Amino acid sequence: MRILGISIFLILFTFAFANEDLNTHVVDRPLIVEFFENNEPHLKRTLHLECTSWRFAVEANNLSPWKIIPQECADYVRQYITGGAYKMEIDRVSSEAGAFAESMKLGEDGKDVWIFDVDETLLSNLPYYSQHGYGSEVFDSVEFDKWVEKGVAPAIGSSLKLYQDVMRLGFKVFLLTGRSERHRIVTVENLMNAGFQDWDKLILRGSEDHGKSATIYKSEKRNEMVEEGLIIVGNSGDQWSDLLGSSASIRSFKLPNPMYYIP
């Protein structure tokens, strides 16, 4: 049977090249390379669309918990962050939040509150993430803590403006962050040096909060505010876990962040 197969192959091969100069069929380069080069623009467009779809799913909270961005989207995320789109979207969110804050009639009892997250909401950790693949590396809490302890994270410009507008309008401002209580001093110094002043309360994770998901931890802290008779009017954060759960605000504002996910 094997001999028969070989014979058929030789017959077909001979037929295919009969009366032709075999030199005309010499391939100067691998056909698969030529195929990919010829289709490179299409493949790039497809990858761009796939990564855009992935980022949309992140922002819409439609993805299951994830730890790093897809490796094939690493360059896409870098370009999104550094190319202007990220800043434009943050500015849009802050502008909408500001318009909402302006539209609210506050009570005279001083109980209307606006909550801000800190990281990637008020302060930017892009100097750190630019050295760690913009989320393409597994998160290293030890290395990130070293960065936090430098206390040099810059302000997000449009968030600083929103913060100042909210203060001017008479809201109480509560900062609710997942940072540890042991980072209180450096966080206060970093915030103040970046331009954030005169908040009413800064809440960090105490020893009793470690091990809780961000959604549970932040829900519990908002529950305490409501129990005190405060009204949570607005809430700004880059993670859905900043915004979802119990005692949610009247309106929440999700800043974009395709670099990491915190449940």
Side-chain angles (χ1 to χ4, degrees):
M1 192 69 178
R2 183 178 179 184
I3 295 175
L4 178 60
I6 294 173
S7 299
I8 293 173
F9 172 80
L10 290 173
I11 292 171
L12 292 174
F13 184 86
T14 302
F15 177 78
F17 291 100
N19 299 320
E20 293 191 25
D21 183 355
L22 289 177
N23 288 331
T24 62
H25 294 275
V26 172
V27 179
D28 294 327
R29 58 194 304 183
L31 292 176
I32 191 168
V33 172
E34 185 173 343
F35 170 81
F36 279 109
E37 287 187 353
N38 290 341
N39 287 272
E40 188 174 3
H42 171 73
L43 294 172
K44 284 185 176 180
R45 284 194 299 272
T46 300
L47 180 60
H48 181 86
L49 290 173
E50 288 177 351
C51 293
T52 300
S53 175
W54 173 83
R55 185 174 65 81
F56 180 83
V58 167
E59 300 303 344
N61 200 30
N62 287 332
L63 288 186
S64 298
W66 51 281
K67 293 185 178 181
I68 61 173
I69 64 176
Q71 291 301 310
E72 62 272 20
C73 294
D75 192 54
Y76 167 87
V77 171
R78 179 187 61 78
Q79 291 182 20
Y80 164 75
I81 294 292
T82 61
Y86 175 64
K87 179 182 181 302
M88 185 178 296
E89 291 181 10
I90 286 180
D91 292 350
R92 174 61 61 89
V93 174
S94 296
S95 176
E96 291 296 323
F100 170 73
E102 292 276 2
S103 74
M104 297 300 294
K105 181 176 176 59
L106 304 189
E108 297 180 358
D109 53 8
K111 293 185 178 295
D112 297 292
V113 173
W114 197 289
I115 299 174
F116 288 95
D117 172 51
V118 172
D119 292 298
E120 269 59 67
T121 300
L122 297 182
L123 298 178
S124 172
N125 295 303
L126 283 183
Y128 171 83
Y129 281 101
S130 66
Q131 301 301 311
H132 295 274
Y134 295 96
S136 62
E137 298 178 8
V138 175
F139 180 71
D140 186 328
S141 60
V142 174
E143 288 300 312
F144 184 73
D145 282 352
K146 291 178 183 178
W147 156 255
V148 168
E149 288 159 6
K150 293 179 180 179
V152 294
I156 294 174
S158 56
S159 292
L160 178 57
K161 181 180 184 304
L162 173 63
Y163 178 95
Q164 293 169 338
D165 288 345
V166 165
M167 294 285 293
R168 172 181 54 79
L169 291 168
F171 286 91
K172 284 186 177 298
V173 171
F174 283 26
L175 310 185
L176 177 52
T177 174
R179 290 188 178 194
S180 173
E181 184 65 40
R182 68 187 177 89
H183 286 139
R184 175 174 292 275
I185 293 176
V186 71
T187 298
V188 168
E189 291 176 350
N190 195 163
L191 285 164
M192 294 183 68
N193 290 337
F196 300 97
Q197 308 283 338
D198 301 325
W199 58 81
D200 291 274
K201 195 170 186 178
L202 170 61
I203 304 170
L204 301 97
R205 279 185 187 262
S207 57
E208 71 280 6
D209 300 313
H210 291 292
K212 297 176 181 177
S213 71
T215 302
I216 292 175
Y217 156 66
K218 294 198 171 187
S219 290
E220 290 178 351
K221 298 305 179 184
R222 291 196 302 269
N223 291 345
E224 293 174 7
M225 298 176 201
V226 172
E227 289 168 2
E228 292 173 11
L230 299 172
I231 301 170
I232 305 174
V233 178
N235 188 1
S236 297
D238 68 294
Q239 299 289 317
W240 282 104
S241 54
D242 297 330
L243 312 173
L244 298 178
S246 57
S247 299
S249 57
I250 294 174
R251 188 168 174 190
S252 299
F253 295 89
K254 168 71 170 66
L255 283 74
N257 184 355
M259 296 182 294
Y260 59 85
Y261 170 84
I262 300 176

